[in-house]
Amino acid sequence: MTTTKYDPRVLKAPHPVPGAPDNWKRFFTFNTDAKVIGIQYMGLSLFFLLVGGLLAMVMRGELITPPSDLVDPTVYNGLYTMHGTVMLFLFLFPILNGFNNLLIPTMIGAPDMAFPKVNAAAFWLVPVFAVVLLSSFFVPGGPASAGWWSYPPVSIQNPLGHFLNGEFLWILAVALSGISSIMGAINFVTTIIRMRAPGMGFFRMPVFVWTAWAAQTLQLVGLPALTGGAIMLLFDLSFGTSFFRPEGGGDPVLYQHFFWFYSHPAVYVMVLPVFGIFSELITVYSRKPLFGYKFVAIASFIITFLGLIVWVHHMFYSGTPQWMRNIFIVTTMLIAVPTGVKVFAWLGTLWGGKIRLTTPMLFVLGGVVNFILGGITGIMLGTAPVDIHVGNTYFVVAHFHYVIFNTIGFGIFAGIYHWFPKFTGRMYYEGLGKIHFVLTFIGATLNWLPMHWAGLYGMPRRVASYDPEFAIWNVIASIGAFMLGVASIPFILNIVSSWARGAKASANPWNAIGLEWLLPSPPPAENFEDDVPTVISEPYGYGLGKPLVKDEEYYIRRSMEA
Amino acid sequence: MTSTTPKGKSGWPIRLIAVILLATASDALLSYQVSQWAYGWLPVPASTAAPYVDDLFSLEVGIGAFIFFGCTGFILWSVLFNRAEKYDESDGLPIEGNNTLEVTWTVIPFIIVMILAYQAIHVSETLSALGPKVKYDVEGGLSPDTAVVTGVRADIGPIDVIARQWSWEFIYPNGVHSSELHLPLDQRANFRMSSEDVIHGFFVPAFRLKQDIVPGSVISYSITPTREGRYRLRDSQFSGAYFSQNQTDVVVESEDVFNAWLKQSAANPLVPGLSPGTALYNERLAKGNKGWATVPPAPPPMVNDPGNPDAPHDA
């Protein structure tokens, strides 16, 4: 076990920023408190979840019948491009950064992030690139419509010839998003490495911190490839260069390598923290230590490493030679092993537990079940012969959404409900939470399960119209999508009304183990301030009767009296 | 790693072993049945490649179903029988780990995925032998004829497959141009694929075949159809505004019928071929060009056989 050799208080920053209001208005300021920034990220990203969801519902409205009869096909292409971009860059990445801001400092006993001003600047880039991205709806020619992956030559076709066009703004927004993410990644990694509480060696860190660390390392390695590819794409689009333009001798497939080198690992950037959330919550609501804690922690970094060497499986039918297919079949298959380790560890934790089916636990169990299915179809997509048949069909849409929404989305909802009392100081309404879960689970299943069969039967993805034999699957999928829209109502009601009028939360309403639960609800500006506890045991000591920190009774009493 | 082993009764837990064996056997039987159903989830197999892909898919579905039912069954069992009683705030059994178990559940999935990888590589190489594919980069101005070595073992071809925004054109060695792809049964056909604008995807679900056609390159690709019928050829790579309309049919027929079609088509005059994007674009212009910017469709190819887009297809 390693111990920290520095004083975490050295890196603290003054909070709140002098002059910042101490009420709801602070969420609209350049506040450098990580908890404020965390809530800023979460509020903004939940807003964009609604925006992206509305775009999706228009698309599912179009697809409820075979012909293209609701919107023009060009409008459809713009809608699904913006749906993908909004959901990834304005919902998923920001909300996970919200969790990172709320949880990393509190879980490791740090007063704040290592670079608070960089942290605030990274957040404020999000609304900036949101404006850049959404303003593309108003430029001549409309928003980008080449999909969120933006393959050339489609993405560098510029029918109107205007310099300021939707694709230009899309690339600019993606580049700004990349800058924001790199600023965040440097901050999170530095904070985890340098600012842990005394006694908190790496193998005393909660798994969420491990997964966030692994994910942010992935950002640092992978993002420069995407950013480089985006800059070259911008040059091809706006200045007539030929990095990817075939008529000038460029290679469009080269862009695919740049893009997928980052964008496949990006899925792990999103799913790893959710694995962390699952691990945290399963222990609390099973009242058991995390089975195989060290295996689970190390598996996060194995996923990070393997995640960087699987990207070509997105290009099995792009002219990839056989020898290269073989290599990437093997690396893609291998990634199932560390992810499987995590799933089995969760099952081992459930075994003989005292399970409580609260709303967060329901979302966790639903997310795990969905992830198992999404993982299995992921293995199928890693095998070239099957991938060649189902690639670029609705089978991939189904697989992708089983991971992105049915796993990551469920994990996010679970995390929001679980830590809601801690960071708002109020309890949520359990009944509304359960209604939200039931509607979400049914809606998500109806939405994406039938797409597997549509894809297997040959329905291409990204289409605005389709042959009538695919109609039944699409009708069911659209009903599911609309149900997901309805499911957001109890969620919004719950969050808003609970925060305004919910019962006051105690410091540790779930009787959970972790440094964040030794803080009052909500925690003060600098968490433990000058009185950082010394960690003396591994996390998840349920049933072991060992205190987590030295003088634990004192910290418990202090948190309750605050 | 700390391990805490609960003190249990001595001897074999017979009841537990029986339950596990019964559950595993039930899971295996159910998964086998699902793997057989999986064949029905795919379109009719109509090429020499299809049975290999179908068998691999069925194997993956079988293994996947075993894992899925096993894991979800375990979760369901835990939720049903390991629930805390109301007001029970006590902890569960504090089992932190078990090295043997953790190594086992790392090694077994490793073996399973390596078996799958081996099988996938084996099938992939078989498909490459059945329908070899070679990609050639074509320098500006260089004719595909001089750049591409076509499949020497092909019974028919090379058939030029030209993809455009948004139409397909097929040119036979005797000069026949068609909007539909006609192929003789059980004969190995060689294609010389090229794109005139963006990346398109040549996708015939019944053949289990998909190949991106990248502008600036020519792909030599071979396939042997094995079932007579009419099958959909879809553009699988997003190619712009009317991408979803970019479909045509592949007609697989007996050698005699194919030869007759080839002969008849050669005598037909050239007419505008299938290009559904053009019709939609013209409708859009008639409505005042409403919608967001788009590339105008390429002119419909001039073909001897414009095809019949309304004919029912098998898959």
Side-chain angles (χ1 to χ4, degrees):
Chain A
M1 188 198 69
T2 56
T3 53
T4 47
K5 294 176 182 169
Y6 48 84
D7 184 348
R9 286 161 289 187
V10 169
L11 291 169
K12 72 177 183 181
H15 294 296
V17 171
D22 193 20
N23 53 33
W24 61 270
K25 290 177 187 169
R26 68 186 182 279
F27 298 116
F28 296 89
T29 64
F30 190 86
N31 198 303
T32 54
D33 182 348
K35 290 177 291 297
V36 173
I37 294 170
I39 289 172
Q40 286 175 321
Y41 267 119
M42 298 195 107
L44 190 70
S45 51
L46 286 174
F47 169 74
F48 281 110
L49 171 65
L50 296 179
V51 173
L54 283 172
L55 294 173
M57 279 196 276
V58 177
M59 287 156 56
R60 288 310 322 173
E62 170 65 79
L63 294 172
I64 204 163
T65 55
S68 179
D69 46 12
L70 184 64
V71 291
D72 186 87
T74 57
V75 175
Y76 180 86
N77 294 340
L79 291 178
Y80 91 81
T81 299
M82 295 302 274
H83 163 74
T85 310
V86 165
M87 285 300 202
L88 289 173
F89 294 102
L90 289 171
F91 166 56
L92 283 167
F93 285 120
I95 202 159
L96 292 169
N97 277 347
F99 276 110
N100 287 342
N101 270 286
L102 291 174
L103 297 180
I104 288 174
T106 52
M107 280 182 163
I108 66 172
D112 202 316
M113 302 299 291
F115 311 112
K117 287 179 183 167
V118 173
N119 198 22
F123 166 73
W124 282 103
L125 272 177
V126 180
V128 171
F129 72 72
V131 169
V132 170
L133 186 71
L134 297 180
S135 64
S136 68
F137 278 101
F138 307 103
V139 297
S145 58
W148 81 272
W149 65 99
S150 204
Y151 277 5
V154 172
S155 59
I156 54 177
Q157 289 186 320
N158 186 357
L160 290 183
H162 292 196
F163 184 81
L164 184 66
N165 57 69
E167 186 66 29
F168 176 87
L169 294 172
W170 183 89
I171 297 172
L172 199 60
V174 168
L176 287 171
S177 165
I179 293 167
S180 166
S181 293
I182 287 176
M183 289 162 75
I186 291 169
N187 221 344
F188 297 132
V189 170
T190 310
T191 305
I192 292 166
I193 292 176
R194 293 298 311 274
M195 296 180 68
R196 283 168 286 126
M200 183 175 271
F202 288 129
F203 284 113
R204 284 184 179 171
M205 290 194 309
V207 165
F208 178 83
V209 180
W210 272 95
T211 54
W213 184 17
Q216 296 303 319
T217 305
L218 208 42
Q219 290 279 60
L220 289 176
V221 179
L223 253 174
L226 176 71
T227 310
I231 290 169
M232 286 184 244
L233 192 68
L234 184 72
F235 271 70
D236 275 10
L237 172 73
S238 301
F239 305 115
T241 55
S242 292
F243 294 107
F244 312 123
R245 193 186 295 277
E247 60 267 31
D251 183 2
V253 176
L254 177 63
Y255 173 84
Q256 298 182 16
H257 287 284
F258 280 119
F259 180 81
W260 288 116
F261 182 78
Y262 169 70
S263 296
H264 185 82
V267 176
Y268 303 115
V269 172
M270 293 181 277
V271 84
L272 274 169
V274 166
F275 289 165
I277 291 173
F278 286 168
S279 302
E280 299 297 327
L281 270 59
I282 284 177
T283 59
V284 176
Y285 297 109
S286 300
R287 311 300 310 168
K288 281 191 64 190
L290 182 64
F291 195 94
Y293 159 71
K294 286 183 182 170
F295 266 61
V296 175
I298 292 168
S300 305
F301 271 91
I302 296 175
I303 291 171
T304 292
F305 172 72
L306 290 174
L308 287 163
I309 51 171
V310 302
W311 79 95
V312 174
H313 73 231
H314 289 272
M315 300 160 63
F316 279 148
Y317 36 82
S318 296
T320 306
Q322 185 60 41
W323 65 268
M324 201 187 279
R325 285 180 180 172
N326 294 348
I327 291 172
F328 285 91
I329 286 172
V330 172
T331 55
T332 306
M333 292 286 105
L334 277 177
I335 214 159
V337 178
T339 45
V341 163
K342 286 179 183 271
V343 173
F344 292 131
W346 299 329
L347 300 188
T349 309
L350 288 172
W351 172 266
K354 292 283 183 75
I355 296 170
R356 289 168 176 74
L357 290 183
T358 58
T359 301
M361 186 61 162
L362 287 172
F363 272 107
V364 167
L365 295 178
V368 172
V369 167
N370 286 330
F371 175 68
I372 295 167
L373 186 54
I376 289 165
T377 53
I379 289 173
M380 294 175 182
L381 289 167
T383 54
V386 172
D387 180 68
I388 285 170
H389 175 61
V390 297
N392 271 345
T393 70
Y394 259 80
F395 188 88
V396 180
V397 181
H399 158 75
F400 181 73
H401 282 89
Y402 258 83
V403 176
I404 288 289
F405 187 86
N406 290 10
T407 303
I408 299 173
F410 275 49
I412 286 168
F413 287 131
I416 289 173
Y417 282 112
H418 178 68
W419 282 291
F420 185 85
K422 172 53 60 187
F423 292 101
T424 64
R426 303 275 182 173
M427 298 301 290
Y428 65 84
Y429 296 112
E430 191 69 47
L432 279 173
K434 285 181 173 159
I435 292 169
H436 176 213
F437 167 75
V438 170
L439 287 174
T440 305
F441 191 85
I442 296 172
T445 303
L446 288 177
N447 195 350
W448 289 299
L449 193 64
M451 290 184 187
H452 290 101
W453 285 282
L456 285 166
Y457 216 70
M459 179 175 167
R461 67 199 290 196
R462 302 153 187 160
V463 288
S465 63
Y466 52 83
D467 284 337
E469 64 255 34
F470 302 117
I472 181 66
W473 290 307
N474 280 284
V475 169
I476 297 169
S478 293
I479 291 169
F482 300 142
M483 190 180 273
L484 278 179
V486 173
S488 65
I489 296 170
F491 175 63
I492 296 167
L493 271 178
N494 205 351
I495 296 297
V496 173
S497 60
S498 300
W499 203 343
R501 293 189 210 156
K504 293 255 184 192
S506 66
N508 191 358
W510 314 124
N511 196 17
I513 295 174
L515 289 185
E516 77 269 34
W517 302 106
L518 295 176
L519 289 164
S521 301
E526 290 186 359
N527 300 331
F528 294 100
E529 298 182 347
D530 294 333
D531 194 5
V532 184
T534 301
V535 178
I536 56 170
S537 61
E538 291 184 359
Y540 318 120
Y542 297 96
L544 293 172
K546 289 192 288 187
L548 177 68
V549 299
K550 198 174 164 187
D551 301 326
E552 191 171 74
E553 288 300 321
Y554 159 73
Y555 288 100
I556 293 172
R557 196 171 57 249
R558 199 178 72 155
S559 67
M560 291 171 73
E561 288 170 357
Chain B
M1 172 165 303
T2 318
S3 282
T4 309
T5 312
K7 289 182 179 163
K9 293 173 191 169
S10 59
W12 290 83
I14 302 294
R15 196 173 158 201
L16 181 65
I17 291 171
V19 168
I20 291 171
L21 285 177
L22 188 66
T24 308
S26 310
D27 190 4
L29 276 174
L30 180 59
S31 303
Y32 174 77
Q33 184 55 52
V34 175
S35 75
Q36 297 308 300
W37 289 336
Y39 285 101
W41 301 343
L42 297 159
V44 288
S47 80
T48 50
Y52 294 97
V53 177
D54 294 5
D55 286 345
L56 179 63
F57 177 67
S58 169
L59 174 70
E60 290 176 356
V61 168
I63 292 173
F66 185 80
I67 294 168
F68 181 77
F69 291 133
C71 292
T72 52
F74 183 91
I75 292 172
L76 198 61
W77 186 90
S78 299
V79 166
L80 288 175
F81 299 109
N82 289 163
R83 288 277 293 282
E85 297 291 325
K86 204 170 184 183
Y87 307 118
D88 178 2
E89 294 292 325
S90 64
D91 291 336
L93 213 52
I95 308 169
E96 287 184 275
N98 178 322
N99 283 342
T100 310
L101 189 56
E102 287 160 40
V103 169
T104 304
W105 75 34
T106 307
V107 170
I108 290 177
F110 176 79
I111 293 169
I112 291 173
V113 294
M114 284 303 102
I115 290 171
L116 275 178
Y118 172 82
Q119 187 62 15
I121 289 170
H122 173 67
V123 172
S124 194
E125 290 186 337
T126 304
L127 300 191
S128 287
L130 289 171
K133 173 213 72 182
V134 187
K135 183 182 171 197
Y136 300 91
D137 290 333
V138 178
E139 299 296 329
L142 189 65
S143 160
D145 289 336
T146 54
V148 179
V149 178
T150 51
V152 287
R153 286 169 53 206
D155 300 312
I156 173 173
I159 301 168
D160 280 309
V161 176
I162 302 170
R164 300 187 182 93
Q165 288 173 308
W166 290 270
S167 62
W168 294 95
E169 183 181 4
F170 308 99
I171 307 174
Y172 288 80
N174 70 342
V176 164
H177 292 236
S178 174
S179 283
E180 285 180 348
L181 178 61
H182 284 248
L183 295 174
L185 185 68
D186 292 328
Q187 291 198 20
R188 188 175 185 152
N190 178 247
F191 306 120
R192 195 164 50 191
M193 301 175 173
S194 60
S195 164
E196 293 194 348
D197 34 55
V198 299
I199 303 174
H200 296 273
F202 182 93
F203 177 35
V204 186
F207 290 176
R208 315 289 189 267
L209 179 155
K210 183 181 289 117
Q211 177 60 51
D212 281 4
I213 310 175
V214 182
S217 319
V218 175
I219 303 267
S220 172
Y221 203 113
S222 299
I223 192 80
T224 308
T226 56
R227 183 181 183 278
E228 283 188 45
R230 178 177 277 269
Y231 308 107
R232 273 304 213 204
L233 187 162
R234 299 191 171 95
D235 190 351
S236 59
Q237 190 62 266
F238 179 70
S239 57
Y242 300 109
F243 150 73
S244 53
Q245 298 290 320
N246 200 16
Q247 306 189 93
T248 186
D249 283 349
V250 182
V251 182
V252 179
E253 51 211 0
S254 69
E255 188 176 2
D256 291 344
V257 175
F258 172 75
N259 287 330
W261 171 81
L262 207 56
K263 194 174 169 188
Q264 172 64 43
S265 297
N268 287 346
L270 290 171
V271 293
L274 185 62
S275 179
T278 303
L280 287 176
Y281 184 68
N282 290 337
E283 276 178 36
R284 172 187 160 126
L285 292 180
K287 288 179 190 167
N289 202 13
K290 286 180 182 163
W292 287 327
T294 176
V295 173
M302 297 302 287
V303 295
N304 303 97
D305 180 2
N308 180 8
D310 300 323
H313 52 267
D314 297 61

